[in-house]
Amino acid sequence: MIALERDRTRTLLAIHGWAGVLLGLLLYVVIATGVVAVFADEIGDWASPIDPPAAAPFPAGLGLRIAELSRQIDPAYVDELNLYPRAGGRIEAFFHRHISVAGDAQPHAEGAVFELHPRTLEVLSRRDGIDDEVQAHDTSNALAAFLVDLHVSLHLPAPYGYLVTGVLGLAMMVAAVTGLLVHRHLLKELFTIRRFRDALLARRDRHVVAASWNLPFAFVLAFTGSYFSFAGSIGIPVMAMVAFGGDQTALIEAIVGTPPTENPAPAPMADLDGMLADAARRAGTAASFVSVSHYGRADAQVTVFTPPAAGELISHNLVYDGSSGAFVREKPGLGLVPSAGGALAAVMAPLHFGNFAGLLSKSVWFALGFASCYVTLTGLQLWTTRRAESPPWRAAARVVIGVGYGLPLALAATPIGYFAGRVAGVDRTEAPMLLALAAAAALTALLGTGRVPAERNASTLLRLTGAVLLSLPLLRWASGGPGWITASAHGLTTLMSMDAVLIAGAWLCWRAGRPRAAPTALATNGDAAAPLESAP
Amino acid sequence: MIASAALPLFACAWSLLALAGRALIDPKRLRASGATRSDRRLTLRPIVKRLLWTLVLAPGLLLIALGAWPALLIWLGATTAIGWGLAHTLAPPPRR
């Protein structure tokens, strides 16, 4: 054992504790943004609705429309084509080719994106350029994309953002496993929250009970989250290095399959609508994404991706010959033939996103994510408040309250930036959204620096969050969105549901923001930590 | 949608009732919340505890037998959330 001086030990303990708090706070940010990201599609539909709403993700006549559009762009871009639904059901058609950008090891896509109305197929907007640029100017989907990026990479540049969130996922997994091992006796106290005079002790019991119930899914969400963070940034390069001698192309061919033999002869595309209808028949549900390689060539290949059908967990990838329209095969998500590893990889997405059974599964995943947030935040509060007799830890407790209750406020404020940017005609709405987020963070920091007790700050922040949530339906309408009468008449159910959820959320925040007694540092006598007698 | 949602919803409702029953007679919870003297003496025989937990988990076993994997995941997630909610709802108020 290394002998340390008392002061040095104290310093190291402080570093250890502060590092844990910092990591915990970042983890809280990732989990809280993940809770919001569960409803990313609905948030996009709410912020940028199409009136009347889309009847199907890819309507009849799309194939002909795509053929028309392919004649309007630089022929160099008519190579690859991606089709996917966006906010409000808009259809994005991205004609592109792959290019290398100096100083960037990753290949990029350069081309033209058309945003189409999901009913009339008229072009709503067109953006030309490299993938990052065209995505940055995607106004209709910007709010949902901003929130998802915050969860996925904390808006840090690739691959650092993925690495940070991946490490945080691993930390959460370690916390879940070690928590189970250390506190497994607490599984016998799943319903036990004791009566204490001290609010901190009562809060500790609530933390333990929430953590015990949330344990299995905390592990699942952390494991799958780490998988997604590391798969692209580390997993594929490492696998390529180990199994394929560094040849990423060989690795991708082993996973995705060898592309068909090159045949650059021009050939008209087969009926895309027919392929989509066939895919819907085979998969039992409509397509959610279409990828065409070598559009307009004899070796064109169309891959139709569908979400899981009712009663299924795994999505389908159906491959068609682009020039004949003939069905070729159903491709596993990973590898060339069905395998246990492929099935395991395929369930990662539904397990993490909870999007396998519509709003029902998403609502459950939202609740589970909320529970994880609660456990993380109350854990951090307990850790810092127990040490609040020391001034640095008192400051840490204030920081935890600031981040814990300021983050929901900042997330609620983000749509304000989005709507303001849209009204102002800003081309890239990321800047006003960041501004709104930063303004909420600054307000939180300002509140935190005052002499007001941290608990009262938490109440204030909750009430502010409630007020901001309440303002969002009004702002959405004021910025040109449909009102409730129009929404009701035209069947914009997602929009009305989201407004209702925001109003309910506002009421809950306002109610939760009622001033409460401040917890004190844990007493070392009396009712502190008295264990219950063993189970009868 | 309604048909596919019915199975997990039914499973969750069943487990909610079983969990509520388990929570309401949980001796540790009753002791911790300062229940009456007769409640404090209440203990559960192991067979009763096992029976109650079997009732809670029965829908999951049924869903596995049916191969209804999405419904199983929804049930698993919802049951843990319901359990947490029950523990909080039945928690005693702090002493004044």
Side-chain angles (χ1 to χ4, degrees), chain A residues 312-405:
Chain A
E312 289 183 353
L313 203 56
I314 296 175
S315 52
H316 298 269
N317 306 339
L318 303 156
V319 182
Y320 292 85
D321 183 303
S323 55
S324 71
F327 174 70
V328 177
R329 67 192 171 107
E330 178 161 3
K331 203 190 93 51
L334 191 68
L336 305 178
V337 290
S339 64
L344 194 64
V347 296
M348 290 289 174
L351 281 178
H352 191 73
F353 305 124
N355 58 358
F356 52 87
L359 282 177
L360 180 60
S361 57
K362 285 186 179 184
S363 303
V364 171
W365 256 240
F366 179 89
L368 294 166
F370 182 81
S372 293
C373 273
Y374 179 89
V375 171
T376 312
L377 184 59
T378 50
L380 288 167
Q381 280 183 284
L382 285 169
W383 180 261
T384 50
T385 314
R386 284 174 73 163
R387 289 155 181 79
E389 281 169 7
S390 127
W393 282 111
R394 208 154 41 239
R398 291 181 79 85
V399 170
V400 167
I401 292 272
V403 175
Y405 295 87

Side-chain angles (χ1 to χ4, degrees), chain A residues 189-197 206 209-210 213 217 311-313 351 356-357 360 364 368 371 374 533 535-536, chain B residues 8-9 19 22-23 28-29 31-33 43 49 70 73-74 76-78 80 83-84 87-88 91-96:
Chain A
E189 295 172 7
L190 281 170
F191 298 107
T192 310
I193 296 175
R194 286 165 286 181
R195 286 190 84 184
F196 288 114
R197 250 183 220 104
R206 288 174 185 272
V209 164
W213 280 105
F217 272 85
E312 289 183 353
L313 203 56
L351 281 178
F356 52 87
L360 180 60
V364 171
L368 294 166
Y374 179 89
E533 59 269 51
Chain B
L9 285 176
L19 270 175
R22 178 70 180 83
K28 281 193 173 184
R29 189 191 69 78
R31 275 199 299 276
S33 59
T43 56
K49 276 201 281 188
L73 281 180
I74 292 170
L76 265 173
T80 55
W84 175 47
H88 271 245
R95 279 198 189 124
R96 299 286 171 202

Side-chain angles (χ1 to χ4, degrees), chain A residues 503-522:
Chain A
I503 292 167
W507 179 74
L508 287 171
C509 284
W510 191 262
R511 198 164 170 271
R514 284 176 305 185
R516 283 167 294 179
T520 57
L522 261 188

Side-chain angles (χ1 to χ4, degrees), chain A residues 24-122:
Chain A
L25 285 175
L26 279 174
L27 180 61
Y28 171 74
V29 172
V30 173
I31 299 172
T33 49
V35 172
V36 178
V38 168
F39 288 110
D41 291 343
E42 287 74 15
I43 289 170
D45 293 348
W46 168 78
S48 307
I50 283 272
D51 186 13
F58 298 113
L62 183 63
L64 281 176
R65 188 74 176 120
I66 293 296
E68 278 173 31
L69 295 174
S70 72
R71 293 190 284 273
Q72 295 176 15
I73 57 171
D74 183 342
Y77 295 159
V78 188
D79 181 23
E80 307 282 316
L81 167 68
N82 291 345
L83 290 166
Y84 39 91
R86 301 297 270 170
R90 294 165 178 82
I91 301 163
E92 285 216 342
F94 185 22
F95 287 98
H96 61 278
R97 62 177 173 183
H98 293 292
I99 59 162
S100 298
V101 175
D104 196 340
Q106 298 291 324
H108 283 269
E110 182 190 39
V113 177
F114 292 94
E115 192 179 73
L116 306 176
H117 191 287
R119 280 186 184 262
T120 63
L121 294 177
E122 80 178 280

Side-chain angles (χ1 to χ4, degrees), chain B residues 50-96:
Chain B
R50 269 188 225 124
L51 180 70
L52 284 168
W53 279 118
T54 307
L55 282 174
V56 172
L57 300 174
L61 299 172
L62 179 71
L63 294 173
I64 291 172
L66 292 173
W69 308 116
L72 177 72
L73 281 180
I74 292 170
W75 170 81
L76 265 173
T79 303
T80 55
I82 287 167
W84 175 47
L86 271 173
H88 271 245
T89 309
L90 297 173
R95 279 198 189 124
R96 299 286 171 202

